[in-house]
Amino acid sequence: MSSTELPSVPAASVLPKVAPVRVGEGERLRSVGLPGITLTVRSRAAVREGLPPALYVHGLGGSSQNWSQLMAELDGLVDSEALDLPGFGDSPPPDDGDYSVTGHARAVIRYLDVAGRGPVHLFGNSLGGAITTRVAAVRPDLVRTLTLISPALPEIRVQRSAVPTALLGVPGIASLFTRISRDWTAEQRVRGVLGLCYGDPGMVTPEAFRHAVEELERRLQLPYFWDVMARSSRGIVNAYTLGGQHGLWRQAERVLAPTLLVYGGRDQLVGYRMAQRAARAFRDSRLLSLPDAGHVAMMEYPETVAAAVRELLADAGELGGPGQPGGAAGVGAGGSGDAGAVRGRRAGEVDGFGRGGAGGARGSRGGGSVSTVSDADGAGAGAGSGSGAGGDGNDDTNAGS
């Protein structure tokens, strides 16, 4: 079944009567009914026919709006769609109340199977990174490449600043927090979220801040908002405790798709120290390190992330053909930073994936460094670095962890 044949219903008909969700320029929303779930899908019109499909999955407390700027940066490269996970954004809760990482992964797989869009270039941030790691491990047929931005993979020593988020999953804590914070304004709450998720909250424009406040005010009117947050937090904690073949690190080792890992040096929710472990775990990986970024690099430095994605796709043989963009040059209004070209060669062929690939980048905002790790042992790494002027932060900031 093609995506145009999916059963669609107006999003407003499946949600309480609240303010409408913001739709950015060039975007559209549609609501897709599937067995047991209804998903809101944000998309951009493809610049031309034949572009490979891409799907974006947000983090805890986030929504498809978190991907708006990166989707715009990748116009002409991929045909972009971003999901609101069940219970988040404009999607109502799932019928079964399952907010585990596996439950969310099942929703993503169900959508891709019914839409017939796979294999896709799959993107995930934070909780979405854990979800898409699971999807790529259990359904490699659905994934062309994988891009993970601050993925929520298990850490032995969790950062102190991430503890309150984890505590939301403890029974009773969400209701207690609701009582304690009942007098907080939406502006105060948004400032707290920005301080936690951004490397530099000052990058957020007044317009983007206003949009974030409006979105939070809308969500706080939803009767299930805190329950969804609590259950999804519990789902992350539970996923961290799973061992054996269901453990997230074990599943990361099973991912066959070429993988781009993006970590921020100022991330307060996912430890920057986990970057090298992730680069070793994913067998065909490259690492983009952004020292000044926080937890949502695709919102803070969309041009730099887009440049690294272009190179990932080029090295994976996903670019080319008439009119297709090539290379990884990304120059935007925020200035440019040349990270140089770097190369990492595979020490040995693993499961038939014998390509090494280039990991360089030309980043337009924030700079950073890129390295390519071509096998599970980390052999054959190359590195480059670059810097660029900070951008304008002109994005929606309903950032999630």
Side-chain angles (χ1 to χ4, degrees):
M1 181 183 292
S2 69
S3 58
T4 57
E5 296 173 319
L6 285 170
S8 297
V9 292
S13 69
V14 294
L15 292 170
K17 296 297 182 182
V18 295
V21 171
R22 183 174 179 273
V23 182
E25 184 178 354
E27 296 180 341
R28 63 184 289 263
L29 289 184
R30 74 181 191 281
S31 190
V32 178
L34 300 170
I37 55 173
T38 299
L39 298 176
T40 295
V41 181
R42 182 180 303 266
S43 61
R44 295 183 63 84
V47 172
R48 60 181 176 277
E49 292 185 3
L51 289 176
L55 186 70
Y56 306 77
V57 183
H58 62 80
L60 179 67
S63 78
S64 58
Q65 293 184 63
N66 295 160
W67 298 102
S68 289
Q69 279 210 288
L70 184 60
M71 290 167 65
E73 288 292 328
L74 295 177
D75 270 353
L77 188 70
V78 293
D79 181 2
S80 291
E81 289 187 345
L83 293 180
D84 286 337
L85 291 169
F88 292 94
D90 209 28
S91 293
D95 290 351
D96 61 5
D98 186 355
Y99 296 100
S100 65
V101 170
T102 297
H104 285 310
R106 190 179 299 120
V108 172
I109 290 170
R110 190 175 300 167
Y111 173 72
L112 287 173
D113 277 340
V114 174
R117 281 174 57 85
V120 298
H121 296 294
L122 191 59
F123 294 73
N125 170 232
S126 193
L127 167 61
I131 292 167
T132 51
T133 294
R134 184 150 290 174
V135 171
V138 302
R139 288 293 304 274
D141 59 302
L142 293 177
V143 183
R144 295 176 185 233
T145 66
L146 181 64
T147 297
L148 303 176
I149 301 171
S150 296
L153 299 175
E155 300 182 43
I156 296 177
R157 294 183 294 111
V158 178
Q159 298 186 102
R160 289 183 180 180
S161 50
V163 170
T165 301
L167 286 177
L168 275 178
V170 177
I173 292 295
S175 59
L176 175 63
F177 179 76
T178 302
R179 291 196 298 271
I180 293 173
S181 64
R182 63 179 178 270
D183 295 328
W184 295 3
T185 66
E187 287 85 356
Q188 289 174 313
R189 296 174 189 268
V190 168
R191 287 193 182 95
V193 171
L194 296 180
L196 189 63
C197 291
Y198 271 65
D200 177 11
M203 294 175 65
V204 180
T205 65
E207 180 184 29
F209 181 81
R210 176 172 53 82
H211 290 157
V213 170
E214 292 171 353
E215 173 62 12
L216 181 58
E217 289 174 338
R218 185 192 71 83
R219 292 192 193 187
L220 289 172
Q221 296 179 50
L222 299 172
Y224 51 80
F225 173 77
W226 285 112
D227 183 60
V228 171
M229 288 289 291
R231 290 173 181 265
S232 292
S233 296
R234 195 175 308 149
I236 296 174
V237 173
N238 290 342
Y240 275 30
T241 63
L242 286 176
Q245 63 178 344
H246 299 295
L248 285 169
W249 284 114
R250 181 68 62 84
Q251 293 194 323
E253 294 170 355
R254 292 168 51 191
V255 172
L256 301 178
T259 301
L260 170 64
L261 301 163
V262 183
Y263 280 81
R266 295 182 179 178
D267 195 331
Q268 299 181 63
L269 293 166
V270 169
Y272 186 67
R273 64 183 178 275
M274 303 305 294
Q276 291 298 328
R277 178 176 180 179
R280 291 191 299 269
F282 290 88
R283 66 181 69 195
D284 187 2
S285 71
R286 66 194 58 216
L287 173 62
L288 172 62
S289 300
L290 296 173
D292 294 330
H295 192 62
V296 286
M298 73 286 189
M299 301 170 72
E300 298 176 88
Y301 302 108
E303 295 99 328
T304 305
V305 175
V309 171
R310 290 186 189 102
E311 184 143 338
L312 170 71
L313 269 58
D315 291 344
E318 293 287 342
L319 295 184
Q324 287 274 38
V331 179
S336 64
D338 187 351
V342 298
R343 292 292 184 267
R345 296 301 180 191
R346 177 178 296 277
E349 188 168 326
V350 181
D351 285 356
F353 284 77
R355 55 184 175 275
R362 291 179 180 266
S364 60
R365 290 170 59 187
S369 63
V370 182
S371 61
T372 300
V373 179
S374 297
D375 64 4
D377 296 323
S385 64
S387 61
D392 57 12
N394 186 22
D395 49 45
D396 290 311
T397 53
N398 58 316
S401 60

